[in-house]
Amino acid sequence: MASRRKGRILAFQALYFWESNRVPVEELVSFAWLEEQKRISLDEGTAVFSRVITAGTIENIDNIDKMIKNHLENWDISRLNRVDLAVLRMSIYSLMFQKDIPASIVIDEAIGISREFGTDDSYKFINGVLDSIRKTLLKPEETCACQI
């Protein structure tokens, strides 16, 4: 699982880089920009996992950003700092499209990354937005309409 954590951090960094530079997806997921920094050694499993999240997020950016906008209260997406935006985008992609990964893991990882790279309050903000989105994405059969 450590490689998945590394993959999420790499996807976060790629999305942060993309937001700043708008490089083509192919160039972004080649991770050439990472090799220049020589910050992380990259095994193939980590690279593949990160590529899926990064490319999937960018391919679905309009729907993901719409989801963010719909779950911000008294706040505009343009005011989000780039760290929080990158963490939210990749996490929402995972919540929406990587159904094999439990939402609790996606949210816990997002909180961990935002604690490491964000501001002191980023993790609280990230947790609130992602939990709201998680509830929106729940399928009817996952909500208990228990009758006794």
Side-chain angles (χ1 to χ4, degrees):
M1 284 304 180
S3 73
R4 283 204 166 188
R5 169 72 172 193
K6 228 187 234 188
R8 285 184 181 94
I9 290 171
L10 184 56
F12 151 73
Q13 291 173 327
L15 291 167
Y16 182 92
F17 185 81
W18 179 79
E19 181 65 24
S20 302
N21 300 291
R22 296 295 170 150
V23 297
V25 174
E26 300 78 25
E27 183 181 328
L28 188 65
V29 297
S30 74
F31 302 121
W33 54 272
L34 179 69
E35 292 168 11
E36 293 169 9
Q37 298 173 8
K38 305 234 187 279
R39 297 177 87 184
I40 304 175
S41 62
L42 203 54
D43 66 82
E44 191 57 30
T46 300
V48 168
F49 184 69
S50 185
R51 281 185 187 110
V52 167
I53 294 172
T54 303
T57 299
I58 293 170
E59 287 169 15
N60 294 283
I61 200 74
D62 292 336
N63 289 332
I64 290 168
D65 284 356
K66 184 177 178 184
M67 185 73 75
I68 293 170
K69 290 174 189 173
N70 290 341
H71 288 86
L72 293 177
E73 293 181 21
N74 304 315
W75 201 258
D76 188 73
I77 193 169
S78 65
R79 293 181 59 204
L80 294 180
N81 71 53
R82 283 186 279 172
V83 169
D84 292 351
L85 184 58
V87 172
L88 282 172
R89 282 174 167 166
M90 72 169 197
S91 301
I92 293 166
Y93 168 77
S94 292
L95 289 172
M96 291 174 76
F97 299 104
Q98 294 181 307
K99 300 295 186 180
D100 60 317
I101 303 173
S104 60
I105 291 174
V106 172
I107 294 171
D108 285 348
E109 289 289 331
I111 290 168
I113 292 169
S114 65
R115 280 183 191 255
E116 186 173 345
F117 295 97
T119 65
D120 289 343
D121 291 328
S122 286
Y123 76 96
K124 295 174 192 172
F125 173 73
I126 297 290
N127 184 43
V129 173
L130 291 179
D131 191 53
S132 176
I133 290 170
R134 177 193 61 81
K135 290 175 184 172
T136 299
L137 294 174
L138 281 176
K139 295 178 186 150
E141 62 268 16
E142 291 178 11
T143 57
C144 182
C146 303
Q147 295 181 1
I148 300 178

